[in-house]
């Protein structure tokens, strides 16, 4: 099951085990069960601290076959994999083995204590079931967070379920997006979630405690709003000037976390979004930057030399200068039925959710590169793809269009205005569109709809505060300055052309240098600025 290179690498990891662990398998006669048996045997052969046992008797609570649990001998296992955790989930398997075997996790001590304290108020046990696809790049974050919680707290169980392997169960529970998390049989969450986000939903008093802590913070010289490529670069350049720097972000990493493949981040030839986001966060943490994650900005209150950022939690942060780097989000169709069936057939990530529609009929909305790439990707999984484009022709690169037209199970419809998503109350069953040439209204029977029609800037909360373009982008000049003195902006939320990661990073650095220049030229510079190294000028790149 595992090749020699992976075995060698895994053997080195298993040397970190501090206690025996047991892999308990529940198998049937399927090919997948045979592969699972081979995988577990390979793992056990790599360490004397790992043993394998096949459990022939199931009590019905975990009757999924094939599946296996990871636990300590003589103790009830609290981590289970229903499916073969390869692909993106192989790291989840390795971490589960190590953490069950006593290897300490790389998590803040405060987070560990918060996990251990869950259930102390008599709330009872938490049993999480997470439906994933092995091609989903967001799913491992959720699985790894819940598995760690199960290791640290005996009142928590975590089960990973491969939707492609348990399709009958997926259909019965109407799982149409991954990751989908159930807690004690009820919907808990959908989409990428960090361990902090999960804890925030379980620990209801955490938000109020966080708000009190944030309100007590001193004013920043530079406060960056947003934790994507632009915000990260801005924070690094500000911190390198020796001034008080903070980053407040709804989700550190931003839209990069949802990007499957990145191939134009010079000099890195190719990487994955979550990996780049983790690298950005690690780079920022190398400096004295106050990172405030999972905090959504609700309002910018301009001031004379001191601005305020009001957060959804009720807290308020103060700063001499502000850099807005809130990025963008996927554009929605904004038609009846889209929100009602979001996660019930309406999806935005073909890589993540595509495997759930194996053998079914789907539509892709959008004829640009993203839409055509999604249609090509899905055509290898589903029975048929209908690509819907508003314009009278596709806008994707010629090479992509050529590949698309070569596929027998793809239909392209142009000059079509999507007008409604239809469903049976539980899931999508079709799409209504208007032929823009004839004016005729038509309907397509579908099981899923993948929306790929571009981006919208995350600037709704800024309307009426500073100048925005007709598209809602923050208007900036060549220095990243907005219409408000002391407020700068960078990245996909701005009017800068070409929304690219490398451009966002450069603009984040530029906005930060402009903010520093603004501070040193202000009438009352902070003590940090007054004592800054004179060689660290606004244009210096020598630090």
């Amino acid at each position: 099951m595992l090749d020699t290179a992976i075995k060698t690498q895994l053997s080195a990891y298993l040397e970190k085990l501090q206690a025996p662990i047991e892999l308990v398998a529940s198998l049937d006669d399927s090919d997948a069960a045979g592969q699972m048996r081979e995988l577990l045997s390979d793992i056990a052969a790599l360490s004397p601290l790992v043993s394998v046992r096949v459990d022939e008797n199931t009590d019905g609570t975990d009757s999924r076959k094939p599946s296996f649990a990871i636990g300590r001998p003589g103790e009830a296992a609290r981590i289970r994999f229903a499916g073969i955790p390869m692909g993106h989930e192989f790291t989840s398997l390795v971490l589960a083995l190590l953490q069950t075997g006593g290897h300490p996790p790389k998590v803040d001590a405060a987070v560990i204590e918060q996990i251990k304290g869950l259930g102390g108020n008599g709330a009872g046990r938490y049993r999480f079931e997470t439906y994933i696809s092995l091609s989903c790049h967001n799913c491992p974050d959720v699985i790894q967070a819940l598995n760690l919680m199960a290791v640290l707290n005996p009142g928590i169980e975590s089960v990973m379920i491969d939707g492609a392997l348990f399709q009958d169960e997926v259909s019965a529970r109407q799982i149409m997006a991954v990751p989908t998390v159930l807690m004690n049989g009820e919907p808990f969450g959908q989409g990428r979630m960090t361990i902090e986000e999960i804890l925030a939903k379980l620990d209801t008093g955490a938000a109020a405690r966080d708000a009190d802590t944030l309100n007590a913070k001193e004013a920043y010289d530079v406060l960056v709003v947003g934790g994507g490529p632009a915000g990260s670069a801005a924070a690094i350049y500000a911190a390198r000037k020796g001034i008080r720097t903070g980053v407040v972000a709804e989700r550190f990493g931003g839209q990069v976390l949802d990007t499957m493949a990145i191939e134009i981040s010079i000099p890195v030839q190719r990487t994955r979004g979550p990996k780049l986001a983790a690298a950005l966060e690690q780079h920022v943490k190398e400096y004295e930057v106050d990172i405030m994650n999972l905090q959504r900005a609700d309002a910018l209150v301009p001031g004379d030399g001191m601005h305020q950022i009001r957060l959804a939690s009720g807290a308020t942060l103060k700063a001499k200068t502000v850099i807005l780097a809130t990025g963008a989000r996927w554009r929605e169709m904004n038609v009846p039925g889209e929100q009602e069936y979001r996660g019930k057939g309406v999806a935005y990530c073909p890589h993540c959710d595509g495997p759930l529609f194996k053998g079914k009929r789907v539509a892709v909305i959008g004829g640009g590169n993203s839409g055509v790439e999604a249609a090509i990707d899905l055509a290898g999984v589903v029975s048929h793809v209908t690509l819907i484009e508003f314009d009278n022709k596709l806008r994707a690169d010629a090479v992509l269009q050529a590949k698309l037209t070569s596929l027998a199970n793809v239909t392209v419809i142009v000059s079509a205005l999507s007008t409604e998503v239809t469903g049976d109350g539980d899931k999508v069953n079709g799409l209504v569109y208007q032929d823009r040439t004839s004016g005729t209204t038509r309907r397509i029977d579908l099981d899923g709809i993948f929306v790929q029609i571009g981006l919208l800037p995350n600037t709704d909360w800024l309307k009426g505060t500073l100048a925005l373009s007709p598209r809602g982008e923050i208007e900036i000049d060549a220095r990243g300055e907005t219409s408000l003195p002391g407020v700068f902006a960078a990245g996909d939320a701005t009017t800068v052309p070409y929304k690219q990661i490398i451009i966002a990073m450069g603009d984040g650095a530029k906005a930060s240098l402009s903010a520093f220049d603004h501070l040193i030229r202000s009438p009352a510079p902070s003590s940090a600025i007054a004592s800054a190294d004179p060689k660290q000028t606004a244009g210096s790149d020598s630090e």
Side-chain angles (χ1 to χ4, degrees), residues 1 76 88 130 160 213 218 285 316 335 392 394:
M1 182 68 184
H88 290 309
T130 307
M160 182 213 82
T213 301
E218 297 180 5
K285 287 181 175 179
T316 298
V335 300
N392 61 4
L394 299 183

Side-chain angles (χ1 to χ4, degrees), residues 163-507:
L165 192 59
F166 294 90
Q167 289 196 349
D168 290 344
E169 185 175 332
V170 165
S171 297
R173 281 185 153 175
Q174 297 182 354
I175 306 297
M176 306 193 75
V178 292
T180 291
V181 183
L182 306 182
M183 185 182 76
N184 299 336
E186 298 296 327
F188 177 80
Q190 198 173 78
R192 185 183 184 275
M193 290 184 287
T194 64
I195 195 166
E196 291 84 2
E197 289 172 304
I198 295 169
L199 287 171
K201 297 186 71 170
L202 296 173
D203 186 356
T204 54
R209 296 194 301 271
D210 288 345
D212 290 340
T213 301
L214 295 174
N215 277 325
K217 290 182 179 290
E218 297 180 5
Y220 296 94
D221 291 314
V222 174
L223 178 61
V224 181
V225 184
S232 298
I236 290 168
Y237 267 73
R240 287 171 61 177
K241 297 300 181 186
I243 58 180
R244 180 166 164 74
T245 305
V247 175
V248 59
E250 186 172 0
R251 189 175 64 144
F252 202 99
Q255 194 188 15
V256 166
L257 291 166
D258 303 322
T259 305
M260 183 65 174
I262 297 171
E263 298 183 351
I264 51 174
S265 182
I266 300 169
V268 180
Q269 291 186 2
R270 58 185 58 85
T271 186
R272 296 183 181 275
K275 184 177 180 179
L276 176 60
L280 288 172
E281 185 171 9
Q282 184 59 41
H283 195 171
V284 172
K285 287 181 175 179
E286 290 181 3
Y287 298 89
E288 292 186 12
V289 177
D290 187 5
I291 299 177
M292 295 157 280
N293 200 13
L294 307 182
Q295 301 292 334
R296 179 167 57 86
D298 260 2
L300 165 63
V301 183
D304 185 11
M306 186 67 70
H307 304 292
Q308 296 183 10
I309 296 292
R310 292 179 182 170
L311 306 178
S313 65
T316 298
L317 300 171
K318 299 177 287 294
K320 296 180 177 68
T321 62
V322 173
I323 298 175
L324 303 171
T326 48
R329 64 190 183 277
W330 291 115
R331 185 185 298 272
E332 299 176 350
M333 293 186 290
N334 292 319
V335 300
E338 181 178 16
Q339 292 304 317
E340 180 183 355
Y341 292 104
R342 185 172 184 145
K344 300 177 181 179
V346 175
Y348 301 85
C349 179
H351 296 292
C352 299
D353 300 331
L356 297 177
F357 294 85
K358 183 178 181 180
K360 298 182 179 180
R361 299 178 64 86
V362 304
V364 172
I365 311 300
N369 282 350
S370 296
V372 172
E373 286 174 355
I376 293 170
D377 185 26
L378 290 165
V381 179
V382 305
S383 66
H384 190 271
V385 179
T386 301
L387 189 145
I388 306 289
E389 165 57 33
F390 177 83
D391 204 351
N392 61 4
K393 61 182 182 301
L394 299 183
R395 294 168 285 107
D397 295 341
V399 64
L400 294 175
Q401 292 191 44
K403 175 62 176 177
L404 185 73
T405 56
S406 72
L407 301 174
N409 63 335
V410 175
T411 299
V412 176
I413 301 175
V414 297
S415 297
L417 171 64
S418 302
T419 58
E420 183 183 4
V421 174
T422 65
D424 61 8
D426 294 319
K427 60 182 184 300
V428 164
N429 63 18
L431 174 74
V432 179
Y433 72 93
Q434 182 183 59
D435 186 318
R436 297 177 56 236
T437 302
S438 66
T440 305
T441 297
R442 297 190 172 98
R443 183 182 179 280
I444 313 172
D445 290 332
L446 296 167
D447 300 294
I449 299 170
F450 290 83
V451 184
Q452 301 282 290
I453 53 176
L455 302 171
L456 280 176
N458 294 318
T459 58
D460 293 344
W461 63 289
L462 295 169
K463 290 179 179 178
T465 305
L466 45 65
L468 301 177
S469 73
R471 290 187 172 187
E473 299 167 324
I474 303 169
E475 293 185 349
I476 58 172
D477 64 12
R479 296 169 57 88
E481 296 175 324
T482 72
S483 59
L484 292 175
V487 178
F488 304 83
D492 287 0
T494 73
T495 50
V496 66
Y498 312 120
K499 313 301 186 187
Q500 299 289 320
I501 290 172
I502 194 167
I503 292 175
M505 288 180 176
D507 281 356

